[in-house]
């Protein structure tokens, strides 16, 4: 394993010296004092905002229409007061975010947002070796960048990309399964490769990995143990965490990323929340007006990608809900802690009087009974009625517990809409992203109860 790691690191240094430099910086920043880190963020944030003003059509308009001058934007103390960027801004004209002085060869087109809205097109900055941020996270999980990995994502790589990927990562090996198409043939191939490669890491969507874990357990499939399981893209419930850890024989680690900003935050071995990668991503939790909320108060996550200069994203509201954590982490890493992401703003129930029941209270309704219900979804139909769909687990009291939780949901919606229970065989997931709360209703105005 050490030899493989040395080969990969040596390759990185020769092929891309930027990898080695960025990784060394990331390691050096992990234990900065909180005031030093906050200063680094303010300076980098202001520098990026000024750059965005100078090189894009969007930011100059956005800031000047808020009454700000270039000098205001360049002031590090003003950073947290800059107006936020909303998804609608990107949808209305993402070309206005392109930085003028970046050559096309330094950018990579990406699109995102398929499941919750129209896709948004944006650019990644190829000059930034983003993979080194994942190396930092893997190190916290006891896994090296060179270790073999099993991916459970939505899309598998095409044969051509597979060859490029193999060359880039050699001598590390990776296997993959499409979380969206886990039929018996795909599973059989995946398990055969899994036994041969013996990956140290399983990485992918919560829903897909959980489904895989349930299949392995139900069919008594024997697989070599791994060192860690990294999950993302949905809140990880206690039910899912305990199943995944039991089946793979390794701790599960949550992490936070999205199409717009790769690698935002991740869990360390202390499991006290997610450390935001504060030296390269500035995460804030804010109210509707974009003002920072104190630690412990749930709000919208707003992220600044401090590294992407091709398509600057400055104080970008991702539409997820979380809270910052004030207590330092016992692991020794000083990067700021945030709570596990509680689901999307859009995942809420809508009551006939216009009130909204935020989704974050609903994602944990079964957490106290991990054995009773294997999976669930709170589904609101177009007539506002609610179905509490559930897949029963091994606890013989399951029906009783479901009835209790139905009453809890009834009180959360203040008995204003009917709530029924519905036993189902499985909960569909969207490319491995399980949505706990689905509403066919959309609020007219973004009001929160
Ligand atoms: Zn920690």
């Amino acid at each position: 394993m050490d030899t493989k790691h040395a080969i990969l690191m040596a390759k990185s240094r020769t092929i891309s010296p930027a990898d080695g430099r960025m990784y060394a910086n990331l390691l050096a920043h992990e234990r900065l004092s909180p005031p030093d880190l906050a200063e680094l963020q303010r300076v980098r944030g202001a520098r990026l905002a000024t750059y965005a003003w100078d090189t894009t059509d969007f930011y100059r308009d956005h800031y000047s229409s808020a009454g700000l001058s270039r000098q205001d934007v360049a002031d590090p103390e003003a950073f947290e007061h800059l107006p936020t960027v909303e998804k609608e801004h990107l949808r209305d004209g993402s070309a206005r975010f392109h930085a003028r002085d970046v050559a096309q060869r330094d950018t990579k087109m990406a699109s995102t947002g398929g499941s919750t809205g129209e896709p948004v097109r944006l650019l990644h900055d190829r000059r930034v070796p983003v993979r080194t941020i994942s190396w930092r996270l893997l190190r916290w999980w006891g896994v090296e960048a060179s270790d073999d990995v099993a991916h459970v994502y939505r899309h598998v790589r095409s044969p051509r990309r597979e060859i490029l990927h193999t060359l880039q990562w050699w001598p590390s090996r990776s296997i993959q399964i499409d979380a969206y198409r886990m039929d018996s043939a795909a599973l059989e191939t995946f398990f055969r490769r899994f036994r041969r490669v013996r990956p140290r890491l399983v990485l992918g969507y919560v829903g897909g990995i959980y489904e895989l874990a349930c299949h392995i357990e139900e069919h008594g499939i024997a697989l070599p143990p791994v060192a860690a399981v990294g999950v993302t893209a949905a809140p990880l419930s206690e039910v899912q965490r305990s199943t995944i850890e039991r089946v793979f024989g390794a701790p599960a680690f949550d992490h936070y990323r999205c199409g717009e900003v790769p690698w935002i935050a991740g869990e360390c071995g202390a499991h006290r929340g997610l450390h935001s990668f504060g030296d390269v991503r500035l995460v804030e939790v804010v109210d509707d007006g974009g003002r920072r909320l104190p630690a412990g108060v749930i709000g919208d996550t707003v992220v600044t990608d401090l590294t992407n200069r091709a398509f600057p994203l400055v104080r970008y509201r991702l539409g997820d809900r979380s809270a910052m954590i004030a207590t330092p982490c016992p692991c020794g890493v000083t990067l700021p802690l945030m709570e596990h992401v509680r689901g999307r703003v859009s995942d809420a129930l809508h009551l006939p009087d216009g009130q909204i029941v935020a989704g974050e209270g609903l994602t944990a309704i079964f957490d106290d009974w991990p054995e009773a219900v294997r999976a669930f979804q709170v589904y609101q139909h177009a007539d506002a009625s609610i179905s509490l769909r559930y897949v029963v687990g091994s606890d013989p009291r399951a029906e009783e517990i479901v009835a209790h939780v139905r009453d809890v949901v009834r009180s959360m919606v203040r008995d204003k809409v009917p709530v029924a229970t519905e036993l189902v065989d499985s909960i569909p997931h969207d490319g491995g992203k399980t949505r706990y709360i689905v509403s066919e209703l959309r609020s007219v105005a973004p009001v929160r109860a």
Side-chain angles (χ1 to χ4, degrees):
M1 213 62 71
D2 285 347
T3 319
K4 269 171 70 179
H5 189 63
I7 293 173
L8 186 72
M9 288 298 130
K11 256 179 74 183
S12 294
R13 278 193 298 274
T14 4
I15 298 170
S16 161
D19 278 19
R21 275 199 305 275
M22 179 150 165
Y23 190 46
N25 276 330
L26 292 173
L27 295 183
H29 289 150
E30 275 186 13
R31 283 156 202 268
L32 283 179
S33 73
D36 285 350
L37 180 68
E39 179 61 15
L40 178 88
Q41 291 184 318
R42 275 193 295 272
V43 169
R44 287 187 169 182
R47 204 183 294 155
L48 179 72
T50 317
Y51 171 82
W53 170 290
D54 290 339
T55 61
T56 72
D57 293 335
F58 172 78
Y59 285 96
R60 185 174 293 212
D61 286 355
H62 192 50
Y63 293 152
S64 56
S65 64
L68 299 169
S69 66
R70 186 180 183 279
Q71 204 178 353
D72 297 329
V73 172
D75 174 8
E77 299 308 317
F79 182 83
E80 66 170 276
H81 305 292
L82 293 175
T84 54
V85 174
E86 312 295 329
K87 295 220 167 187
E88 297 78 60
H89 291 132
L90 261 69
R91 269 183 222 131
D92 291 349
S94 62
R96 290 166 47 79
F97 284 77
H98 294 191
R100 276 185 288 274
D101 65 346
V102 176
Q104 203 181 346
R105 64 169 184 280
D106 289 333
T107 67
K108 188 174 149 205
M109 182 74 84
S111 82
T112 178
S115 64
T116 46
E118 310 96 272
V120 165
R121 297 182 79 78
L122 61 128
L123 301 177
H124 288 310
D125 191 331
R126 296 178 75 143
R127 297 164 298 183
V128 185
V130 170
R131 56 186 165 273
T132 57
I133 305 174
S134 72
W135 299 353
R136 156 191 275 172
L137 182 60
L138 296 187
R139 210 168 133 265
W140 296 349
W141 299 350
V143 177
E144 296 288 0
S146 54
D147 284 338
D148 301 327
V149 53
H151 292 285
V152 186
Y153 286 118
R154 179 164 190 164
H155 297 294
V156 297
R157 290 180 289 273
S158 66
R160 183 176 162 272
R161 290 205 34 120
E162 180 68 27
I163 293 168
L164 291 173
H165 186 271
T166 305
L167 287 174
Q168 185 187 7
W169 289 96
W170 180 87
S172 306
R173 292 170 298 176
S174 76
I175 60 171
Q176 50 180 352
I177 187 167
D178 188 340
Y180 211 49
R181 293 196 195 90
M182 291 202 284
D183 55 35
S184 54
L187 285 163
E188 209 171 292
T189 310
F190 180 75
F191 292 142
R192 198 174 57 242
R193 289 183 180 155
F194 200 105
R195 290 191 193 96
R196 196 181 68 229
V197 168
R198 304 177 72 88
R200 291 200 77 227
L201 173 69
V202 177
L203 192 63
Y205 294 144
V206 172
I209 291 181
Y210 177 63
E211 196 179 312
L212 194 60
C214 291
H215 180 91
I216 292 169
E217 194 160 56
E218 272 164 29
H219 294 80
I221 292 161
L223 292 177
V226 300
V229 183
V231 300
T232 191
L236 172 66
S237 72
E238 280 312 305
V239 185
Q240 292 173 321
R241 188 189 282 274
S242 62
T243 306
I244 290 168
E245 294 190 338
R246 187 173 64 242
V247 169
F248 289 103
F253 297 93
D254 190 10
H255 62 295
Y256 182 32
R257 56 200 279 191
C258 65
E260 296 95 317
V261 188
W263 309 107
I264 298 169
E267 207 173 2
C268 68
H271 300 282
R272 298 290 177 93
L274 310 180
H275 286 283
S276 70
F277 303 132
D279 47 348
V280 283
R281 278 93 176 86
L282 202 171
V283 177
E284 302 165 86
V285 174
V286 304
D287 64 14
D288 288 349
R291 288 171 291 265
R292 283 188 189 173
L293 292 167
V297 179
I298 296 174
D300 292 353
T301 57
V302 159
V303 177
T304 301
D305 182 342
L306 295 167
T307 60
N308 184 348
R309 289 165 78 87
F311 191 98
L313 282 174
V314 184
R315 305 200 81 220
Y316 175 54
R317 198 187 299 261
L318 280 170
D320 295 311
R321 305 278 287 166
S322 184
M324 299 306 293
I325 297 173
T327 333
C329 189
C331 79
V333 169
T334 51
L335 298 174
L337 279 177
M338 61 187 283
E339 288 183 10
H340 294 270
V341 173
R342 309 268 192 116
R344 307 191 61 82
V345 176
S346 53
D347 293 338
L349 301 176
H350 303 271
L351 303 183
D353 59 5
Q355 283 214 306
I356 289 179
V357 178
E360 52 255 21
L362 291 158
T363 55
I365 45 180
F366 283 106
D367 274 4
D368 289 341
W369 304 280
E371 306 303 325
V373 164
R374 269 185 36 203
F376 74 94
Q377 187 174 60
V378 181
Y379 192 95
Q380 183 170 37
H381 304 271
D383 65 359
S385 67
I386 290 165
S387 292
L388 178 58
R389 295 176 174 162
Y390 65 100
V391 182
V392 77
S394 58
D395 190 327
R397 298 170 305 154
E399 295 299 331
E400 193 186 315
I401 289 161
V402 169
H404 167 73
V405 169
R406 179 199 58 206
D407 293 344
V408 171
V409 176
R410 275 182 183 156
S411 69
M412 289 169 93
V413 299
R414 301 173 200 91
D415 279 318
K416 286 177 180 169
V417 293
V419 181
T421 58
E422 187 186 335
L423 175 65
V424 293
D425 291 333
S426 65
I427 303 288
H429 59 80
D430 174 18
K433 302 185 186 191
T434 308
R435 290 180 66 194
Y436 294 93
I437 295 98
V438 175
S439 179
E440 292 184 16
L441 298 176
R442 280 273 168 267
S443 60
V444 181
V447 201
R448 274 186 209 110

